[in-house]
């Protein structure tokens, strides 16, 4: 009797272990495959201002409150804020709020932006996304970049999107310039003065025809590129002798044709003028 029970006592621990593990789910089956780590949210943000920053989600925040790891602004403020902006002109007094306002899909259509050239129609590429467009457009319209003290208004950060934004000339420019004597003024000279010196008059309705990069590049060197701006002296070229922060050699075309005038001038530019 004792002899028969001894082998069973040796087998008892194995039987208990087998029964215990049989009650547990398989290790592989117990691993859930539908759980994954959430992708980290990262933002692109502006770097121009010392105090304010705008991220690519359309939020504006102070440089101290931005998340140092994600570069995202807190979501506590208004998205696509147009604080300090004149919406009829699509211009703002702050670069960061210009970018934020510009990012609003109801104001800037991605399909339109992706067709635009960054600068020169021939040598430059197109914008990759709306954030790149808004950063570039708001910055290029700034007096600090192109035309120091050229604007009477503080609202010189603009994101206006128009057909002429690429600076490209349309195929009908030739016929529209029939009978027009295209003249280049001296430094600081208005088109009214340029044409008057030739015994002619400036033709305001033809300024919009000249207000394109392809036309400017045809008559001027534009060695530093061609950019949109808001100065009353455009279309024009910044003279080589201008201070370095005014982008010497750059050609400038007006963002808004309706603001073109024959009387505008600037001490550091030479105008391209339609005389007849």
């Amino acid at each position: 009797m004792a002899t028969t029970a001894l082998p069973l006592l040796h087998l008892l621990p194995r039987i208990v272990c087998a029964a215990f593990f049989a009650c547990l789910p398989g290790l592989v089956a117990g691993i859930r495959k539908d759980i994954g780590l959430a992708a980290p949210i990262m933002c692109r943000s502006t770097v121009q201002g010392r105090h304010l920053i705008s991220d690519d989600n359309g939020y504006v925040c102070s440089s101290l409150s931005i998340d140092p790891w994600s570069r995202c602004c807190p979501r506590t403020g208004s998205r696509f804020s147009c604080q300090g902006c004149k919406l009829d002109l699509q211009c703002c007094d702050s670069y960061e709020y210009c970018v934020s306002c510009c990012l609003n899909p109801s104001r800037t259509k991605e399909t339109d932006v992706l067709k635009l050239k960054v600068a020169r129609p021939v040598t430059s590429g197109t914008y990759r996304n709306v954030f790149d467009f808004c950063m570039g457009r708001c910055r290029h319209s700034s007096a600090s970049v192109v035309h120091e003290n050229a604007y009477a208004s503080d609202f010189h950060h603009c994101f206006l999107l128009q057909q002429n934004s690429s600076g490209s000339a349309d195929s009908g420019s030739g016929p529209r310039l029939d009978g027009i004597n295209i003249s280049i003024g001296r430094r600081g000279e208005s088109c009214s003065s340029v044409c008057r010196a030739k015994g002619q008059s400036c033709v305001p309705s033809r300024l919009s025809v000249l207000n394109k990069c392809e036309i400017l590049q045809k008559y001027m060197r534009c060695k530093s590129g061609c950019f949109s701006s808001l100065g009353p002296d455009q279309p024009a070229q910044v003279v080589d002798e201008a201070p370095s922060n005014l982008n010497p050699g750059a050609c400038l075309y007006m963002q808004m044709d309706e603001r073109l005038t024959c009387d505008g001038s600037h001490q550091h530019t030479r105008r391209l003028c339609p005389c007849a």
Side-chain angles (χ1 to χ4, degrees), residues 44-46 54-58 99 103 113 127-136:
R44 295 179 60 200
S45 57
T46 59
S54 177
D55 67 21
D56 58 0
N57 286 314
V99 173
L103 285 171
V113 165
Y127 290 101
R128 295 177 299 170
N129 50 58
V130 176
F131 187 61
D132 283 344
F133 165 80
C134 293
M135 285 199 303

Side-chain angles (χ1 to χ4, degrees), residues 181-204 206-207 210 220 232-236 260-266 269-276:
N181 177 23
I182 300 177
S183 304
I184 300 176
R186 294 190 296 265
R187 176 177 179 171
E189 193 175 19
S190 70
C191 281
S192 296
S193 298
V194 172
C195 297
R196 190 182 305 117
K198 297 179 178 294
Q200 298 179 320
S201 298
C202 175
V203 184
R206 294 298 180 267
L207 282 169
L210 304 183
M220 295 174 158
D233 56 313
Q234 285 133 36
L260 293 169
T261 173
C262 290
D263 298 325
S265 64
H266 189 276
T269 64
R270 302 174 62 197
R271 294 201 63 179
L272 186 64
C273 307
C275 304

Side-chain angles (χ1 to χ4, degrees), residues 20-38:
F20 175 75
F21 284 106
C23 296
L24 294 178
L27 294 177
V28 176
I31 299 176
R32 292 197 48 192
K33 300 181 179 180
D34 57 339
I35 296 180
L37 294 177

Side-chain angles (χ1 to χ4, degrees), residues 73-90:
C73 284
R75 299 300 187 256
T76 54
S78 299
R79 192 179 187 189
F80 307 131
S81 174
C82 297
Q83 179 179 320
C85 300
K86 288 187 175 181
L87 297 183
D88 56 334
L89 301 177
Q90 294 185 328

Side-chain angles (χ1 to χ4, degrees), residues 47-48 95 134-142 145-146 157-158:
V47 294
Q48 180 164 316
Y95 172 71
C134 293
M135 285 199 303
R137 180 66 63 182
C138 290
R139 183 182 302 116
H140 289 165
S141 299
S142 170
V145 174
V146 181
H157 299 282
C158 304

Side-chain angles (χ1 to χ4, degrees), residues 24-271:
L24 294 178
L27 294 177
V28 176
I31 299 176
R32 292 197 48 192
K33 300 181 179 180
D34 57 339
I35 296 180
L37 294 177
I41 298 176
M42 303 294 292
C43 296
R44 295 179 60 200
S45 57
T46 59
V47 294
Q48 180 164 316
R50 290 183 298 171
H51 305 295
L52 292 177
I53 289 176
S54 177
D55 67 21
D56 58 0
N57 286 314
Y59 290 95
V60 177
C61 61
S62 70
S63 56
L64 296 177
S65 63
I66 194 169
D67 188 299
W69 185 77
S70 68
R71 301 301 297 170
C72 295
C73 284
R75 299 300 187 256
T76 54
S78 299
R79 192 179 187 189
F80 307 131
S81 174
C82 297
Q83 179 179 320
C85 300
K86 288 187 175 181
L87 297 183
D88 56 334
L89 301 177
Q90 294 185 328
C91 295
C92 309
D93 60 6
S94 163
Y95 172 71
E96 288 75 23
Y97 280 105
C98 175
V99 173
S100 174
C101 191
C102 171
L103 285 171
N104 192 330
S106 66
R107 302 186 187 282
T108 307
K109 306 296 184 184
E110 184 176 25
T111 53
D112 295 332
V113 165
L114 298 182
K115 300 175 185 176
L116 297 180
K117 295 287 186 179
V118 176
R120 293 190 182 189
V122 177
T123 60
S124 69
T126 56
Y127 290 101
R128 295 177 299 170
N129 50 58
V130 176
F131 187 61
D132 283 344
F133 165 80
C134 293
M135 285 199 303
R137 180 66 63 182
C138 290
R139 183 182 302 116
H140 289 165
S141 299
S142 170
S144 63
V145 174
V146 181
H147 237 180
E148 186 178 30
N149 298 325
Y151 311 128
S153 172
D154 290 332
F155 300 88
H156 51 251
H157 299 282
C158 304
F159 58 92
L160 180 70
L161 179 66
Q162 59 178 23
Q163 289 184 340
N164 192 39
S165 296
S166 65
S168 60
D170 57 69
S171 58
S173 297
R176 295 178 63 190
L177 291 176
D178 287 346
I180 298 296
N181 177 23
I182 300 177
S183 304
I184 300 176
R186 294 190 296 265
R187 176 177 179 171
E189 193 175 19
S190 70
C191 281
S192 296
S193 298
V194 172
C195 297
R196 190 182 305 117
K198 297 179 178 294
Q200 298 179 320
S201 298
C202 175
V203 184
S205 62
R206 294 298 180 267
L207 282 169
S208 61
V209 185
L210 304 183
N211 191 43
K212 297 174 174 64
C213 282
E214 288 185 9
I215 299 296
L216 283 163
Q217 291 166 346
K218 180 178 179 181
Y219 292 93
M220 295 174 158
R221 295 170 61 193
C222 302
K223 65 179 183 180
S224 297
C226 184
F227 304 98
S228 63
S229 188
L230 282 176
D233 56 313
Q234 285 133 36
Q237 181 179 22
V238 182
V239 297
D240 292 340
E241 299 77 20
S244 59
N245 63 320
L246 302 186
N247 205 358
C251 287
L252 310 174
Y253 68 91
M254 174 71 96
Q255 279 192 339
M256 292 175 266
D257 284 351
E258 64 271 16
R259 291 192 177 186
L260 293 169
T261 173
C262 290
D263 298 325
S265 64
H266 189 276
Q267 61 177 330
H268 293 304
T269 64
R270 302 174 62 197
R271 294 201 63 179

